[in-house]
Amino acid sequence: MKYKDFLRKDKMPHIWCPGCGHGMVLSSFLRALAKREYHPDKVAVISGIGCSSRASGYLNFNTLHTTHGRAIPFATGIKMAKPELKVVVLTGDGDSAAIGGNHLIHAARRNIELTVIVFNNNIYGMTSGQYSPLTPHMRLATTAPYGNIDYPFDLVKLAEGAGASFVARGATAQPRHLEKIIGQGLDHNGFSLIEVITQCPTYFGRKNRMGSAVDMLQWQRDNTSTTGKEGKIPLGIFVQEERPEYCANYHHLVKTVAEGKGSE
Amino acid sequence: MSKRLIQGNEACVEGALAAGARFFAGYPITPSTEIAELMAEKLPALGGVFMQMEDEIASIAAIIGASIAGTKAMTATSGPGFSLMQENLGFAAMTEVPIVVVNVTRGGPSTGTPTKPSQGDFMQARWGCHGDHPIIVLAPSSVQEVYNLTITAFNMSEKYMVPVVLLYDEVVGHLREGVELKGTAEIINRDFPLVPPENYRPYATGDGLIPKLAPFGSGYRYHMSGLSHDETGFPTGNPATIENLVVRLQDKIEKNRQDIIKYKAIDVEDAEVIFLAYGSPLRSALQVQKQARARGEKVGLIQLLTLWPFPHELLTETFARNNADFIIPELSLGQLADEASKSVPRDKITRVNRNDGALITPAQLEQALKGVR
Ligand SMILES: Cc1ncc(C[n+]2csc(CCOP(=O)(O)OP(=O)(O)O)c2C)c(N)n1
Ligand code: SF4
Ligand SMILES: [Mg+2]
């Protein structure tokens, strides 16, 4: 299948601003998916609330646009009820790391097979530019007019610490690399988190005088590294481990109970 | 069939399993915890899913997800957890996903009195979520009724594609009584779409009011959103489409009031005084009503089984016919009495309220009866 076949073309045009990186994340995801054998009927895409979370509506799968921060527990219910579905969560930095942070760490801890793609634009785009838990220290936002005194999460370390068995970071400036790591996340049998650095020229870019979308992509190229260069934001796969997956563990428990063994 | 001596919360679990529930997600909270514990024990043997989630928000989200995937699902909680669930309860109402939420009520506000009964969630069960939204609230008063109404809750949620709240207080939840676990109760399952996937519009209800939502993964691909949406499920800003949606969501319940509203009327025809009650206060009211009749006094009783939609037509008709005085005992400052006063004049209502965690006693109700007569 071509990735364009996965789009609901009748639902276009999309709501994103010109230059927004969210569409670029989406196309990397769809290209990765197109290289794999999933039947669209067996793919469920769950999102929360935010500009990024609007992505689900444009996709010709089983799509669910939930409440702010809660995509992961909705996805957990779907996955546990129908483990044969490929369940993907599309979420923003605010959606996943602020209001939904608790759900994120618990899903990682369980190691349930969900592919969680975080569209990290370092800002609340949908509500017009307030700081998020991933806004860097002393950057500007509408609610940080004098600079953000909070320190951001390192989402990669957070997910790793919480027990995620696949953790990666990509960037919209590196679409081929991004497609590759999303693909490996999709192939992973366990909880996978892929943080994607993306640009919001309208709010984060404008507030912080970062220029156009093209300038912001150049900023990404200058400040990230896929080879672990000193002082750069590392991109790549940081955790990739085979560990017992939650649905499989549950299935095993059901079998054990059915055989009347109980716990051993 | 022989009766089994079980607790209210256990009857709830038995009812849910009999109704076909195969998914439970929850977070422990007194006085509902036995439901989670029993589900954890029983569901795996049935091939069902039990999950203890990180909080009540995740619990209700997970059961909505499970129901979207086609599995009948339930959660159980009490006041503080019920408060946390409100946003996603509204999501289920908006997206028309059937779920059952059990609220075993305890004293509030806040952490309140965890181990004591209360009926202070009467209004929250109806109006806890923001926005006009459809919901059904059922209220058992005995262990047998917990069993029966849990099945009814699932049936109504599947029939009307709406969240159903089962509300009963701590005393009913922890009471032990003999219960007949009927294997023959009618079980309703949601309708599957009649059109092929290529013509499917999930929220097109045709001449009816209730959508046929295909389970995710069944070959019908569509979008579901808590945003105001059109028949395809996709967000819309069209004023007429939004208006139609909000009105239809209300109408699918309002136009089926006769089917949804359940109650029991005892000796009401000639009654000059009528007790109106549900939950543990009902049990004292039943006793007092019976004794009064035995003394020859014209006293009747209406027991509400459906709290919402509220049976105003029943109260209006009864009052018009009998011009009776109503005694309304409840474990709150008077939420039920306030609602009833839309149909019965305030000066014809005697309120008996208790908020100290103790039960309303028959003696209290005898006294109220004397006051009226
Ligand atoms: C419970 C709740 N609180 C607040 C909001 C308002 N809100 C909508 S989107 C959003 C932030 C989204 O930010 P992010 O997840 O980073 O997505 P982005 O728009 O940047 O892609 C907020 C605060 C809401 N919809 N629901
Ligand atoms: S506000 Fe920012 S995140 Fe939202 S669509 Fe516009 S550019 Fe993208
Ligand atoms: Mg953001």
Side-chain angles (χ1 to χ4, degrees):
Chain A
M1 266 203 165
K2 286 225 227 28
Y3 88 89
K4 289 207 164 138
D5 298 336
F6 294 146
L7 292 170
R8 288 183 176 134
K9 293 181 195 78
D10 58 322
K11 300 304 182 192
M12 302 289 172
H14 58 65
I15 61 152
W16 295 317
C17 307
C20 177
H22 288 348
M24 302 166 76
V25 185
L26 193 62
S27 74
S28 292
F29 161 54
L30 294 182
R31 281 174 207 279
L33 206 62
K35 292 206 175 123
R36 286 161 175 81
E37 307 270 275
Y38 303 112
H39 191 286
D41 286 347
K42 299 296 168 198
V43 177
V45 177
I46 322 302
S47 62
I49 297 290
C51 296
S52 37
S53 289
R54 285 298 192 99
S56 60
Y58 305 120
L59 304 180
N60 195 9
F61 305 118
N62 304 281
T63 58
L64 179 66
H65 180 224
T66 67
T67 46
H68 192 27
R70 318 301 173 194
I72 288 176
F74 275 91
T76 298
I78 290 174
K79 182 71 184 171
M80 286 299 281
K82 278 216 172 121
E84 68 271 24
L85 296 182
K86 186 76 204 168
V87 182
V88 178
V89 172
L90 304 181
T91 172
D93 48 319
D95 199 58
S96 64
I99 191 164
N102 196 32
H103 308 309
L104 176 75
I105 57 175
H106 286 279
R109 171 177 68 79
R110 291 183 192 110
N111 197 33
I112 183 166
E113 192 196 306
L114 301 174
T115 312
V116 178
I117 302 176
V118 179
F119 295 48
N120 175 16
N121 55 9
N122 311 101
I123 201 87
Y124 289 176
M126 180 119 262
T127 45
S128 327
Q130 300 77 27
Y131 65 90
S132 90
L134 297 183
T135 303
H137 185 61
M138 290 321 282
R139 288 303 188 100
L140 300 174
T142 57
T143 45
Y146 310 110
N148 173 29
I149 64 164
D150 283 23
Y151 294 94
F153 279 133
D154 179 330
L155 210 52
V156 163
K157 287 188 180 149
L158 182 76
E160 181 179 358
S165 54
F166 182 98
V167 185
R169 184 189 286 122
T172 47
Q174 309 267 11
R176 284 177 176 283
H177 176 261
L178 180 58
E179 180 193 319
K180 213 173 91 191
I181 60 170
I182 291 177
Q184 286 183 259
L186 286 168
D187 293 340
H188 181 69
N189 177 26
F191 184 85
S192 57
L193 178 124
I194 300 122
E195 177 194 345
V196 186
I197 300 172
T198 176
Q199 72 279 9
C200 169
T202 305
Y203 294 112
F204 190 71
R206 192 190 294 162
K207 266 273 161 206
N208 291 287
R209 299 179 184 281
M210 294 178 78
S212 67
V214 176
D215 298 325
M216 292 181 82
L217 288 168
Q218 189 55 49
W219 182 94
Q220 283 187 24
R221 278 185 215 103
D222 295 342
N223 291 279
T224 61
S225 164
T226 51
T227 53
K229 265 196 210 122
E230 255 316 282
K232 308 280 180 198
I233 303 168
L235 304 181
I237 296 171
F238 306 99
V239 180
Q240 189 170 20
E241 286 169 19
E242 286 305 320
R243 262 187 249 150
E245 192 274 334
Y246 191 79
C247 296
N249 280 352
Y250 193 82
H251 184 71
H252 177 74
L253 179 138
V254 163
K255 249 183 74 187
T256 315
V257 172
E259 287 161 9
K261 286 192 203 142
S263 61
E264 284 157 31
Chain B
M1 205 181 205
S2 65
K3 288 193 172 188
R4 264 180 60 198
L5 185 69
I6 58 173
Q7 194 191 53
N9 283 340
E10 191 175 353
C12 178
V13 170
E14 293 294 346
L17 298 177
R22 289 297 179 270
F23 196 106
F24 181 95
Y27 190 83
I29 184 167
T30 304
S32 76
T33 305
E34 295 84 5
I35 297 175
E37 289 171 344
L38 284 165
M39 283 294 192
E41 187 187 319
K42 290 178 181 256
L43 273 170
L46 296 167
V49 174
F50 168 86
M51 284 190 81
Q52 181 170 314
M53 300 301 289
E54 53 272 22
D55 60 25
E56 288 86 348
I57 301 173
S59 302
I60 187 168
I63 67 163
I64 296 170
S67 181
I68 289 170
T71 305
K72 289 187 187 177
M74 179 172 107
T75 186
T77 188
S78 188
F82 193 57
S83 294
L84 286 178
M85 289 181 183
Q86 293 303 320
E87 187 192 11
N88 283 339
L89 194 57
F91 181 88
M94 180 60 141
T95 53
E96 304 182 64
V97 176
I99 52 166
V100 174
V101 175
V102 184
N103 178 359
V104 189
T105 52
R106 61 193 233 179
S110 190
T111 311
T113 316
T115 56
K116 295 283 161 65
S118 158
Q119 296 180 310
D121 298 359
F122 173 83
M123 279 293 170
Q124 189 196 19
R126 175 64 191 93
W127 295 115
C129 338
H130 56 282
D132 287 316
H133 61 278
I135 202 156
I136 294 172
V137 182
L138 304 179
S141 302
S142 69
V143 180
Q144 183 69 58
E145 284 169 6
V146 172
Y147 178 78
N148 296 352
L149 286 188
T150 303
I151 297 175
T152 307
F154 275 97
N155 283 347
M156 285 188 181
S157 75
E158 295 278 320
K159 182 170 178 184
Y160 296 109
M161 300 299 280
V162 70
V164 177
V165 175
L166 193 72
L167 199 69
Y168 58 85
D169 61 65
E170 182 275 336
V171 166
V172 176
H174 286 157
L175 195 71
R176 283 180 186 278
E177 288 179 319
V179 176
E180 204 172 304
L181 305 174
K182 287 189 291 286
T184 52
E186 189 205 0
I187 302 301
I188 298 176
N189 296 313
R190 70 192 83 166
D191 284 340
F192 198 79
L194 300 169
V195 299
E198 56 276 19
N199 299 337
Y200 183 57
R201 284 174 303 150
Y203 293 101
T205 57
D207 295 337
L209 292 165
I210 301 152
K212 295 177 172 49
L213 296 182
F216 272 21
S218 65
Y220 289 76
R221 296 199 296 275
Y222 61 98
H223 189 55
M224 199 180 251
S225 172
L227 281 166
S228 300
H229 44 267
D230 60 20
E231 289 185 345
T232 70
F234 202 76
T236 181
N238 181 302
T241 310
I242 297 170
E243 177 79 25
N244 284 344
L245 172 63
V246 174
V247 171
R248 180 178 63 75
L249 288 178
Q250 168 173 282
D251 280 355
K252 73 174 179 177
I253 302 304
E254 287 301 311
K255 297 208 163 148
N256 290 294
R257 291 175 69 90
Q258 284 222 333
D259 179 47
I260 297 169
I261 293 175
K262 307 213 176 292
Y263 63 91
K264 287 182 194 161
I266 301 171
D267 299 336
V268 167
E269 290 70 35
D270 64 341
E272 290 162 4
V273 181
I274 297 172
F275 285 102
L276 175 69
Y278 71 96
S280 60
L282 172 92
R283 305 175 69 90
S284 298
L286 274 171
Q287 190 182 325
V288 172
Q289 186 270 334
K290 205 168 160 195
Q291 285 164 357
R293 272 285 160 179
R295 295 194 298 263
E297 297 170 29
K298 291 185 172 167
V299 177
L301 183 150
I302 295 174
Q303 174 190 354
L304 301 181
L305 294 166
T306 303
L307 299 183
W308 301 101
F310 192 78
H312 281 295
E313 56 275 55
L314 169 70
L315 298 190
T316 307
E317 277 163 31
T318 309
F319 182 73
R321 190 183 60 216
N322 297 31
N323 194 28
D325 281 287
F326 281 74
I327 299 176
I328 306 186
E330 54 183 319
L331 300 175
S332 82
L333 289 169
Q335 296 183 21
L336 170 62
D338 280 343
E339 187 63 26
S341 70
K342 290 179 183 169
S343 324
V344 178
R346 278 182 180 271
D347 61 1
K348 297 292 272 181
I349 295 176
T350 300
R351 296 159 179 249
V352 181
N353 307 112
R354 218 166 165 156
N355 304 284
D356 60 355
L359 292 176
I360 291 174
T361 60
Q364 258 183 297
L365 295 184
E366 282 288 4
Q367 207 176 357
L369 191 56
K370 263 193 215 127
V372 174
R373 308 220 95 224

